[in-house]
Amino acid sequence: MKYDVVVIGGGPAGLAAAYEAYRNGVNKVLVIERDKELGGILNQCIHNGFGIHHFGEELTGPEYSQRFIDDIDKTNIEVIVDTMVLQIDEQNKVHAINNENGYMIIEAKAVILAMGCRERTRGAINIPGSRPAGVFTAGTAQRFINMEGYMPGKEVVILGSGDIGLIMARRMTLEGADVKCVVELMPYSNGLTRNIVQCLDDYGIPLKLSHTVVNIHGKDRVEGVTIAKVDKNLKPIKGTEEFIKCDTLLLSVGLIPENELTRACGIKIDRRTNGPVVGELRQTSKEGVFACGNVVHVHDLVDYVTEEGYLSGKGAALFVKDEMNTDITHKTKNGYGIGYVVPQNININNIENEVRFYMRVKNVYKNHVIKAKVGDEVIAKKREVKFTPGEMIGFSIKKEQFEKLVGNEIEFFVEGV
Amino acid sequence: MYDVCIIGAGVIGSAIARELSRYDLNICWLEKSEDVACGTTKANSGIVHGGYDAKHGTLKGELSAKGNSMFKRLDKELSFGFAEIGSFVIGFDEDDEKEIKRLYENGLKNGARGLEIVDKEFISKKEPYINKEVKIGLYCKTAGIISPYEFAIALAENAVENGVILHLETEVVDINKEEKGFIIKTNRGNFTSKYVINAAGVHADDIARMVGINDFDITPRRGQYLLFDKEQGYLANSVIFQTPKNGTKGVLVTKTYHGNLLLGPSAEYIDDKGNIDTTKEVLEEILQTGKKSIPEVDGRKVITSFSGLRASSKNGDFIIEESEIKGFINVAAIDSPGLTSAPAIAVKVVDIVSNLGLQLKEKENFNPYRTPINRTENMSPEEINELIKKDPRYGRIICRCESVTEGEIIEALNRPIKVSTIDGIKRRVRATGGRCQGGFCTPRIIEIISRELNIPMEEIQKRNKGSNILVDRTKKAFEDYKGDC
């Protein structure tokens, strides 16, 4: 099997990437999806709010992905589902397996990684206590309810106020469950403001900030959890423990980009994003391998995932046509208050008009400005009433603003006003 | 009437059952859990110890060194997976050095093989990530790692295939000694047997008390563990102990048989035999202690933590003997190095019952071999394609973290010991045991179990009864729907 571009993952990132590669003149494109259908995690996201930026309307997850599936259907892009990629070898050959074709070795001129992310587990945050059934990640519960039609529990405590946790608080309430509260370790929510309002406030579900789960009780099935208030160092405060009776604990405690394939083939990983270090067209440190979507960094809006998918698709197309410049002209640097910046590398010659940088701040900053500087010169800035770690920040810089500053480092930092 | 009744299907019961299954005997085997290997066996370090540290002259000293020497052959017969990766006891100062020399001498007396006192260079060469402060070490070439429950399952499956009758979810509630033997009362009726072998782990004292034996108590000693992502497995090539303090082997750092990094255990005496909770303080302590051996261990890469109980007695040694009640044999207080000793304990128990007058006639058709579950992960592309041609379900990966196919899961459901639980599948093929801890594959596995065994989705258990994963259908799901599904 020989293709120009092989896309690993048929979620929103992979679909956009495949389509854009095709639109840029690549003929032989293959999308490999491990689940039974295209769409990725969007298939279980039956709430609306997807596509506000990209389509200017509020779609559900399946509606959003269907638009891209329809686009792909009109092309000669090939799709194989229920197929797992096991390895990308040194020559960028993709090793995959399914029950129809068996073990396949697929040749590709360019590969696009779009494997998405996975949820952090109980173990990752070391919640002590017993180990009963009834502890789920929010996404698993979402799949059970929205795709399988089963309830994973009736009396629920949710740890983590990221968007998935908030959405599930509403979803489980609508299905008749009693959601006791959403517990958040930080003094602020990691979710979008609109989700706090629409998923908690509208249903009277309490959000307990600066709290965490300190114990899980129950031998066979969860019988309750103990929560406690935490201090400034996020350590539980003795004497503030409170037992909450429940049969289910949902964990929405963060997402980890799924980069096992990436790591195994030696691609450089940024320890801040847990994704590959990428360039402006989402090229990775391995020639011919691109990456996009949540495998690069965890996005909060699918619209941004789509944009990134397009970039990687375009990059892969340029690479296949041998029209891409592969060296690096600029690097980004995380200055004060900045958690990470994507892309980490730039080649000015691959850019048409501007570069859109994505970043997250480390803390909540009110009335601050984010600045980009090269050397001592501030080349761009962005001001908001409030920056929070929960909302990814988009930051565009025109090509001409740093065109003349070749070989330099662009530092982003937060500054008070 | 049975010839022998074995109580308890942990690794000790399993090893005994398998050893006795060589002979023409009627054997019944009772286990209160829904599966074998559900107690101490499922949650320990999985180490085949060298046999140097248990005090010479004790049963532990004798049986651990002997047990160690039996694993290679057992693995050939039963294919559970044994890797002889070697172990280190590392020392940082003169006190440690003294203790290491003492261990070495003790090991020689026990008959431990492959012992060597080594210097910093030797250790650093084998273990590049070891603490740079290390000065001296005791290396044991013959130490190794296994998956403890896979070992027990292999023994148990082979025992069952050789005719031992296993009763799961069968809890012994009372035992009466009659003239000809014992009446063992359970929640599923009575069993009568000439001999009883008590291998009930932390409950061995409770079982013994049922026939009036009160001469020992089992105190559970809890050990907590941190299991890390396979990505961290590179940090340890061998089993790394720190020099023992206060008589315990202390916190070890090891690679597991399947390539994860494992830290633990703690050693806490507790009252409740059902308490396998983990605690924040102890987990933190394990991490910090482990870092003394391997400073680069990254606490953020933990995928799960768990704890298990060791069944310990006051005098500190195994209890393996006929009790004051004739025909009732206690195999109790099998704490560390019990896993290592298990095969040797089984041989010893067979000797004991033989000396008591049980006629042991070797079976003509005893089959020492067990066919393992196909593992596509360990196969070449050609072998996988061969298998997929025969059964396409080996081409569909269900558990992505551990690369487990539908074919393997279905095999796990149809072994000599039937299972229907998520944890039962996990212990056989590792599905749900990977970095996402079942987040992605649990729904798909439930679907497979439901389809294959014809059990409604919401009745599928994580482990024992009452541990269902799902509680109900969603509101009106499917009920009002009249269209095609």
Side-chain angles (χ1 to χ4, degrees):
Chain A
M1 299 166 89
K2 277 189 181 173
Y3 290 89
D4 291 325
V5 176
V6 171
V7 181
I8 303 173
L15 292 175
Y19 189 63
E20 188 67 8
Y22 174 84
R23 277 211 320 179
N24 279 269
V26 178
N27 232 322
K28 294 256 323 162
V29 181
L30 173 71
V31 179
I32 304 175
E33 166 57 37
R34 61 190 155 198
D35 216 328
K36 289 176 208 156
E37 56 267 309
L38 292 176
I41 294 300
L42 283 179
N43 288 333
Q44 66 187 53
C45 301
I46 62 170
H47 54 281
N48 67 347
F50 296 93
I52 299 169
H53 298 260
H54 192 72
F55 293 113
E57 53 185 313
E58 293 203 34
L59 305 170
T60 65
E63 284 170 336
Y64 186 92
S65 60
Q66 193 59 46
R67 298 207 173 184
F68 293 87
I69 295 169
D70 290 346
D71 281 345
I72 290 208
D73 278 347
K74 290 180 203 129
T75 70
N76 62 1
I77 294 171
E78 290 176 47
V79 172
I80 45 174
V81 296
D82 213 356
T83 303
M84 182 81 188
V85 172
L86 302 169
Q87 186 202 343
I88 300 158
D89 69 18
E90 278 171 29
Q91 293 89 41
N92 289 351
K93 285 182 192 154
V94 177
H95 297 231
I97 187 172
N98 69 17
N99 58 359
E100 226 168 90
N101 313 74
Y103 193 106
M104 297 166 266
I105 299 174
I106 304 161
E107 283 184 48
K109 289 182 188 151
V111 175
I112 300 178
L113 308 173
M115 295 88 74
C117 57
R118 67 170 185 274
E119 297 174 280
R120 291 173 81 205
T121 61
R122 173 182 177 182
I125 53 169
N126 263 328
I127 307 176
S130 58
R131 310 196 57 75
V135 181
F136 298 90
T137 58
T140 306
Q142 188 177 48
R143 182 176 178 113
F144 273 128
I145 296 173
N146 294 349
M147 290 181 76
E148 320 280 340
Y150 286 90
M151 283 298 274
K154 286 287 171 69
E155 287 183 292
V156 189
V157 169
I158 299 174
L159 176 62
S161 64
D163 291 310
I164 316 169
L166 299 173
I167 298 277
M168 284 311 291
R170 175 176 66 185
R171 186 74 189 99
M172 292 201 77
T173 305
L174 291 173
E175 280 297 337
D178 177 11
V179 178
K180 304 275 176 106
C181 58
V182 174
V183 178
E184 169 60 55
L185 179 72
M186 305 305 285
Y188 51 84
S189 164
N190 269 314
L192 299 170
T193 310
R194 73 161 200 249
N195 280 333
I196 303 221
V197 175
Q198 294 171 8
C199 299
L200 299 189
D201 298 353
D202 287 358
Y203 297 89
I205 299 167
L207 172 62
K208 287 180 168 287
L209 297 173
S210 295
H211 277 73
T212 193
V213 172
V214 294
N215 212 339
I216 296 174
H217 309 269
K219 198 159 176 274
D220 301 326
R221 176 82 198 191
V222 173
E223 286 162 19
V225 297
T226 302
I227 66 167
K229 207 171 172 8
V230 297
D231 62 20
K232 271 187 197 155
N233 302 315
L234 309 178
K235 297 272 180 245
I237 302 168
K238 281 248 150 55
T240 64
E241 294 88 357
E242 181 189 345
F243 176 82
I244 303 178
K245 188 176 159 287
C246 60
D247 66 8
T248 306
L249 174 66
L250 289 196
L251 300 175
S252 172
V253 293
L255 299 163
I256 308 169
E258 278 222 275
N259 278 296
E260 282 66 43
L261 286 175
T262 323
R263 258 189 207 99
C265 69
I267 287 171
K268 198 175 164 200
I269 303 278
D270 183 335
R271 44 173 284 274
R272 294 186 179 87
T273 56
N274 279 312
V277 171
V278 290
E280 73 295 330
L281 293 174
R282 300 305 181 264
Q283 59 273 47
T284 69
S285 64
K286 191 166 194 268
E287 201 168 275
V289 180
F290 296 75
C292 59
N294 285 345
V295 87
V296 177
H297 59 123
V298 176
H299 299 61
D300 36 31
L301 293 180
V302 71
D303 310 63
Y304 298 146
V305 168
T306 299
E307 280 178 36
E308 198 168 52
Y310 284 155
L311 282 176
S312 68
K314 189 182 164 201
L318 287 179
F319 181 83
V320 167
K321 293 185 283 185
D322 206 15
E323 290 170 11
M324 204 179 90
N325 300 289
T326 50
D327 51 333
I328 295 165
T329 58
H330 296 74
K331 284 178 176 264
T332 58
K333 184 185 173 185
N334 312 293
Y336 175 80
I338 299 291
Y340 73 75
V341 181
V342 169
Q344 292 89 344
N345 301 325
I346 309 290
N347 183 306
I348 197 83
N349 306 309
N350 293 327
I351 296 165
E352 279 167 32
N353 302 314
E354 59 171 34
V355 181
R356 189 154 173 84
F357 295 91
Y358 295 104
M359 62 195 73
R360 283 184 195 275
V361 290
K362 287 181 181 170
N363 248 310
V364 176
Y365 299 100
K366 285 180 187 166
N367 290 315
H368 275 63
V369 61
I370 294 179
K371 292 182 176 172
K373 75 176 180 185
V374 177
D376 289 332
E377 190 185 342
V378 172
I379 59 168
K381 50 184 151 186
K382 177 166 188 145
R383 189 169 173 177
E384 294 277 353
V385 180
K386 192 175 165 189
F387 293 110
T388 80
E391 303 209 15
M392 202 170 81
I393 299 150
F395 193 119
S396 297
I397 302 182
K398 292 256 177 294
K399 180 178 179 177
E400 60 263 24
Q401 277 172 287
F402 57 97
E403 201 166 19
K404 51 189 183 293
L405 305 159
V406 169
N408 278 315
E409 198 172 62
I410 310 163
E411 182 182 351
F412 294 89
F413 59 100
V414 180
E415 204 174 77
V417 285
Chain B
M1 168 155 326
Y2 288 100
D3 297 310
V4 182
C5 172
I6 305 165
I7 300 172
V11 70
I12 301 302
S14 301
I16 295 168
R18 198 256 178 173
E19 201 55 38
L20 280 173
S21 73
R22 294 173 187 276
Y23 306 99
D24 254 326
L25 297 168
N26 285 322
I27 304 165
C28 75
W29 189 12
L30 312 178
E31 167 57 47
K32 74 178 164 86
S33 302
E34 79 291 350
D35 194 4
V36 301
C38 282
T40 297
T41 305
K42 82 169 176 197
N44 62 71
S45 314
I47 308 297
V48 174
H49 292 283
Y52 52 79
D53 69 340
K55 199 175 159 196
H56 180 61
T58 61
L59 278 173
K60 284 184 178 179
E62 173 199 332
L63 296 170
S64 57
K66 205 182 276 176
N68 169 296
S69 69
M70 297 168 76
F71 271 84
K72 272 194 184 159
R73 176 163 171 199
L74 277 171
D75 187 34
K76 264 200 196 116
E77 293 177 344
L78 301 172
S79 306
F80 50 86
F82 166 56
E84 198 185 68
I85 60 171
S87 73
F88 283 101
V89 178
I90 56 170
F92 296 96
D93 55 31
E94 276 177 24
D95 284 350
D96 290 353
E97 188 172 344
K98 263 187 228 156
E99 179 62 18
I100 281 171
K101 284 184 174 152
R102 193 194 65 75
L103 280 173
Y104 176 74
E105 295 299 328
N106 187 67
L108 292 184
K109 281 193 243 164
N110 282 349
R113 300 161 305 133
L115 289 180
E116 197 181 337
I117 292 181
V118 295
D119 59 11
K120 183 180 180 159
E121 277 65 39
F122 183 97
I123 304 170
S124 310
K125 208 170 158 196
K126 287 239 180 208
E127 295 296 343
Y129 299 95
I130 203 96
N131 185 342
K132 298 280 174 281
E133 308 283 304
V134 69
K135 295 216 158 53
I136 188 167
L138 175 64
Y139 180 59
C140 179
K141 191 170 159 284
T142 63
I145 46 175
I146 57 174
S147 154
Y149 41 83
E150 285 178 67
F151 174 47
I153 289 167
L155 290 163
E157 285 186 346
N158 189 240
V160 169
E161 283 190 313
N162 282 301
V164 174
I165 299 164
L166 173 65
H167 297 266
L168 296 171
E169 294 181 308
T170 304
E171 184 170 7
V172 175
V173 292
D174 202 8
I175 304 172
N176 289 344
K177 169 84 169 111
E178 307 280 309
E179 208 172 306
K180 285 189 178 157
F182 297 86
I183 299 174
I184 302 119
K185 296 181 177 169
T186 78
N187 60 331
R188 301 202 169 199
N190 294 352
F191 295 81
T192 56
S193 176
K194 290 176 201 154
Y195 294 88
V196 171
I197 296 169
N198 171 15
V202 290
H203 296 287
D205 54 346
D206 306 321
I207 294 288
R209 269 184 218 112
M210 291 178 189
V211 281
I213 302 163
N214 290 302
D215 58 1
F216 68 92
D217 289 312
I218 299 294
T219 310
R221 195 155 49 122
R222 188 169 65 187
Q224 303 190 29
Y225 290 90
L226 293 168
L227 185 73
F228 290 73
D229 195 307
K230 284 183 175 172
E231 185 203 305
Q232 295 277 293
Y234 72 94
L235 288 171
N237 298 316
S238 344
V239 186
I240 302 164
F241 299 94
Q242 289 166 18
T243 305
K245 305 261 181 336
N246 317 319
T248 81
K249 287 189 281 288
V251 169
L252 62 85
V253 179
T254 185
K255 184 181 279 186
T256 67
Y257 182 75
H258 295 296
N260 299 81
L261 188 77
L262 180 74
L263 263 64
S266 56
E268 316 148 55
Y269 286 99
I270 56 166
D271 303 325
D272 176 3
K273 288 177 179 176
N275 184 346
I276 48 167
D277 291 4
T278 53
T279 61
K280 192 124 202 159
E281 297 70 27
V282 172
L283 291 177
E284 183 57 36
E285 202 180 300
I286 289 168
L287 181 63
Q288 293 316 323
T289 314
K291 280 186 171 178
K292 198 184 166 192
S293 297
I294 307 280
E296 277 180 47
V297 168
D298 183 351
R300 293 171 307 171
K301 298 284 165 73
V302 172
I303 63 170
T304 187
S305 48
F306 59 91
S307 81
L309 304 177
R310 319 179 189 61
S312 48
S313 73
K314 218 165 252 160
N315 83 356
D317 203 4
F318 298 153
I319 300 167
I320 305 170
E321 60 195 14
E322 187 191 25
S323 67
E324 59 200 59
I325 307 289
K326 198 168 161 30
F328 191 96
I329 295 111
N330 282 317
V331 189
I334 312 296
D335 56 0
S336 181
L339 184 68
T340 308
S341 310
I345 290 174
V347 171
K348 191 175 180 74
V349 169
V350 171
D351 275 352
I352 292 173
V353 285
S354 164
N355 290 335
L356 290 173
L358 182 68
Q359 290 297 314
L360 297 181
K361 190 177 148 252
E362 284 200 31
K363 258 182 215 163
E364 273 170 26
N365 57 351
F366 173 74
N367 178 10
Y369 296 99
R370 163 191 175 259
T371 314
I373 295 175
N374 281 301
R375 290 293 301 147
T376 51
E377 196 187 36
N378 305 327
M379 291 180 183
S380 69
E382 293 76 25
E383 288 169 325
I384 293 175
N385 280 334
E386 202 61 26
L387 189 61
I388 293 172
K389 237 183 254 163
K390 277 185 254 162
D391 185 344
R393 295 175 299 187
Y394 288 96
R396 178 179 288 136
I397 290 187
I398 301 294
C399 165
R400 58 172 85 154
C401 304
E402 296 290 308
S403 275
V404 185
T405 64
E406 186 174 17
E408 290 157 66
I409 291 170
I410 290 168
E411 260 195 84
L413 291 170
N414 293 293
R415 299 288 295 179
I417 298 168
K418 293 268 173 201
V419 288
S420 60
T421 63
I422 298 286
D423 282 2
I425 302 248
K426 173 166 81 177
R427 285 192 291 269
R428 282 159 180 83
V429 292
R430 303 203 328 277
T432 76
R435 49 175 64 95
C436 89
Q437 289 285 295
F440 287 115
C441 62
T442 302
R444 302 185 72 181
I445 296 170
I446 290 183
E447 200 183 303
I448 293 169
I449 301 176
S450 171
R451 186 188 69 213
E452 293 292 315
L453 305 183
N454 203 12
I455 306 172
M457 299 261 291
E458 59 268 47
E459 280 173 30
I460 288 161
Q461 310 290 316
K462 178 169 163 60
R463 35 172 189 267
N464 42 312
K465 282 213 174 67
S467 65
N468 19 339
I469 311 265
L470 303 169
V471 299
D472 204 351
R473 289 268 171 113
T474 47
K475 251 198 238 172
K476 299 270 182 188
F478 307 112
E479 282 166 29
D480 299 339
Y481 190 70
K482 300 282 190 287
D484 293 331
C485 242

